[in-house]
Amino acid sequence: EVQRLSRLVDDLLQLGRVSTSARNTRRPVDLLQLVEGIMAQARPGAAQTGAVISLEVHEKLQHVSTDPDQLRQVFLNLVDNAIKFSSRAERKAVDLGCELTSGGSVVFTVRDYGPGIPRDQMKKIFRLFYRSGNELTRETAGTGIGLALVHQLAQAMNGETGVDNREPGAEFRISFPGAD
């Protein structure tokens, strides 16, 4: 509970910083090292639900120019959500991916195998404090801050957010133009 509250406070502070300043510190980052660090942070939460986290990184993606703290925050929020929504799924897994498109964009994905997202709520989920589902029957805890923060951080880094339903689950993606 302390970790959850600490993350909530961090999210609120980060949201405030993003709102007041869209500046970020881009520098070359060892992508594999960054993502493996994120996986190490997320594994304890995954272990509590029995979820397994896997990673697939495009072979040519060794370094990217980004703000590592902001990208870490994006990934952690997406992975935390994926773990939450996979907790009652038949397949308890979270798949992380990093790929390089033919146009040179870098795309990060986080997929869960949970219930997916109702189609009419897919565009709303990135709004601050928005939570899908009925407040009285909702089984998954949350504040509605994480995905709003993901969206704002991605925009601050000149990226785009998106989500697609998969069978089963949902896949979130963050796209950044031009790999360095």
Side-chain angles (χ1 to χ4, degrees), residues 2 10 13 17 21 29-30 42 48 56-57 80 100 105 114 135:
V2 170
D10 289 344
L13 291 172
R17 284 190 292 269
S21 172
V29 174
D30 181 319
Q48 289 179 340
E56 186 174 325
V57 177
D80 281 350
L100 184 63
S105 295
E135 197 66 42

Side-chain angles (χ1 to χ4, degrees), residues 11-84:
D11 283 353
L12 286 169
L13 291 172
Q14 182 71 16
L15 192 58
R17 284 190 292 269
V18 172
S19 298
T20 58
S21 172
R23 297 170 55 199
N24 60 66
T25 359
R26 290 173 54 105
R27 65 177 193 258
V29 174
D30 181 319
L31 183 62
L32 194 55
Q33 182 179 4
L34 178 74
V35 177
E36 285 177 348
I38 291 165
M39 288 177 62
Q41 281 184 269
R43 276 195 184 104
Q48 289 179 340
T49 65
V52 175
I53 302 176
S54 66
L55 171 65
E56 186 174 325
V57 177
H58 188 282
E59 60 195 38
K60 292 185 180 179
L61 270 178
Q62 296 172 1
H63 291 87
V64 292
S65 182
T66 189
D67 182 311
D69 295 328
Q70 289 184 355
L71 185 58
R72 182 178 295 108
Q73 184 72 48
V74 165
F75 256 118
L76 283 172
N77 284 9
L78 291 175
V79 170
D80 281 350
N81 272 0
I83 290 169
K84 276 194 292 191

Side-chain angles (χ1 to χ4, degrees), residues 7-8 10-12 14-15 70 73-81 84 125-131 141-154 161 172 174:
R7 177 89 36 94
L8 173 62
D10 289 344
D11 283 353
L12 286 169
Q14 182 71 16
L15 192 58
Q70 289 184 355
Q73 184 72 48
V74 165
F75 256 118
L76 283 172
N77 284 9
L78 291 175
V79 170
D80 281 350
N81 272 0
K84 276 194 292 191
I125 61 173
F126 292 107
R127 293 183 194 161
L128 185 59
F129 301 120
Y130 182 81
R131 296 188 57 222
T143 58
I145 296 172
L147 290 178
L149 181 57
V150 164
H151 183 69
Q152 287 192 8
L153 285 171
T161 54
F172 287 83
I174 310 296

